[in-house]
Amino acid sequence: MGITKSFIRTLFSKSGAVSILLLPMVLAFQNCGRFETLPEGINTAASNDGSNNGGSTDLPSTTNPTPTPPPEVLEGKVLYTQNCASCHGPVESSAKKSRDATQITLAINSIPQMGAIRLSASQVEAIAAALTVDMNNPPPVVSPANRQEFACTTGVMQKTPLVKLTNREYRGALFALLDGFATTLKTDATLVAQLDGIPTDIATVDRDTLKEQAMLMTAPISNALFNSAFRAGELVSAATTGLQNYPNTSQCLAAATITQACHQLFVRELGSRAFRRPLSTTEANAVAARFWDSTLSKADLLKLTFTSIATMPDFLYKIYDKGTAVAAGSTVLNLTAHELATKMAFFLTGAPADATLKALADNGQILNDAIISQQVDRLLTLAGSRDMIRRLFRESYGYDVFDRLQYDAAFIGNINTTGLGDVMSNELDNYFVEVVLNRSGSFLDVMTSKYTSATDTRLGTIYGLSAATNTLPDERSGFLNRAAMLTKRSGYTTSPIKRGLHVIEHVLCQDIGLPPPSAPSSLPPVVTEDIITTRMRTARATEVAGSSCAQCHGKFNSFGYAFENFDSFGRFRTMETIYNGSQAVKQLAVDTSVTTSEITGSSVSVSNSRQMASELGNSDRAMMCFVKHLKRFEARIPADASANCQMNQSLKTMYGDNVTQGSVVGAIKSLVLSPEFRRWNN
């Protein structure tokens, strides 16, 4: 009988390795000090140091230094690290910024996972003080060009989290290993089913935004990764031609039986590909010794070896700790050539370095600025870059999240809504790929382009199109005026609150926080004695001077009012039909004119959402927000003040020459070209 999954697990146990049937992947190869055996289902974010001191680099000058926090904030940071950081990340980049004491107390009392936390009222107040935005991110400064920039201390960089490959990255990495044997192996139906069965790593991180969870490792995930690796091992063991021609093995794998020397050559080549760096003979022989068993058949030995290597942390995690320190005593390491090539490839294409990058890493040329620049340009032309752009913008602006798409059939003209959410999201996926990648568009272009790839007739009906087109009417300029962004609430009436909240949180990065428990979940019903527009009803319910609602709603309701030219199904209108239940009772003219100081810090007046999108396209605040999204996407944790210097480089690229904006692709490239991208802060 051939080797089985349970047999491999038994061999893992005999060799002293950790059984990934029961535990997350923690077996280290040449990284034993970094990995410990973790309890089942633990989030690996909890194993990171909760502090984030930024570490000094070889550029120790201090520009715009961050002031020392007051004692209560320092106490709050300690309490947060002890009680909150394992779930919500370090305080400097916490997913719960701006939460006040009332909200924290409510969470402790109502969320089961927090039931064991015991804090006094003063301790909760201290944590709330530590979570205020100003305590962790100093306010922007104004550059000589009169543009806002992130306040930064030169030479400081954000700590580098230890993250696993996301599901899409893991798939690409496993396929890359299989391609070394035969490019057809990755199409195996059983393998594809195993990969599709890996529990999703996409979940809600903040309001209405789904993000890949690169720090999450649970028993179900590790089991699914094991099953995928095992199936891949079965395919490799049967790939006769691929084994015979496997590089750097002198065709020894073509023999009926494998000698120990041949096995060592196989491990060295496979390990170098899997760990994304060359392995020395000593390293390869050490890991080969764990799995060498002369009693096993050739197929079983290959199955065991491949499965084992494809479940080691050096394959499953992004580890960049082989370089030298930038200065004596520094925690910051310069990436090696292969580490840099790997980091660039995963960031820009979601897959390991291809042959071109590997060759440039082998000869060290990838460390040259001009070569890096050329390779960024090349990588951004590959198919993987399109998927990177889709995920970046989905995670930045949350257009793939819907409350629901449930409408009265007569209200929407009997349109079938099955799968319509995906159609809406895919329109914006294609929009960002076209505007950002294909056209090298600026941030203003992102906010104002009229391009569309909409071919679904249902979307055409929503947009009022009588024929297929790649250009939408003026009122649809930019992505904010598309169906995916407008259908944030089903029903007869719009929700200026939800639409406005989405803009201020995701386009301007202002964390509004949760409403108080006493806040109503809907507007008062329409009564025949008081038939007014949704805008007026919203203002009366949430913006009364002196009320507990006015302070927050006064910031973001106006963004929602600008979209009142669109009904709840995203269709353009100039008149709002007022409903009493399901009964239409009157039509009233919509008012989309708003004045707000949230876009620039000074009062700005616009007549509609198209003008608002244009103002946002030129807004320092909106561009700074996007750069934060970009850095979070690259690092897999929210950006804190220690990332400000690196983010400034992307921001300045987007600003351009103060007359013509730079491209978004240029901002992505600037991030890669920054000194911080080429380093690991331990």
Side-chain angles (χ1 to χ4, degrees), residues 217-286:
M217 180 64 83
T218 64
I221 291 176
S222 66
N223 284 337
L225 295 175
F226 177 89
N227 290 335
S228 299
F230 183 83
R231 177 54 185 167
E234 289 181 319
L235 296 172
V236 166
S237 68
T240 304
T241 302
L243 289 171
Q244 177 179 342
N245 298 319
Y246 200 57
N248 299 315
T249 58
S250 302
Q251 295 190 321
C252 70
L253 296 173
T257 59
I258 298 178
T259 65
Q260 187 171 11
C262 179
H263 181 249
Q264 291 170 340
L265 291 176
F266 175 64
V267 168
R268 185 175 185 185
E269 180 65 21
L270 179 64
S272 296
R273 292 169 180 248
F275 301 163
R276 302 175 284 272
R277 60 180 177 82
L279 298 188
S280 68
T281 300
T282 300
E283 285 181 295
N285 291 351

Side-chain angles (χ1 to χ4, degrees), residues 526-533 578 585-586 588:
V526 173
V527 293
T528 55
E529 303 84 40
D530 188 19
I531 298 176
I532 55 177
T533 63
I578 310 301
V585 294
K586 194 172 184 178
L588 298 173

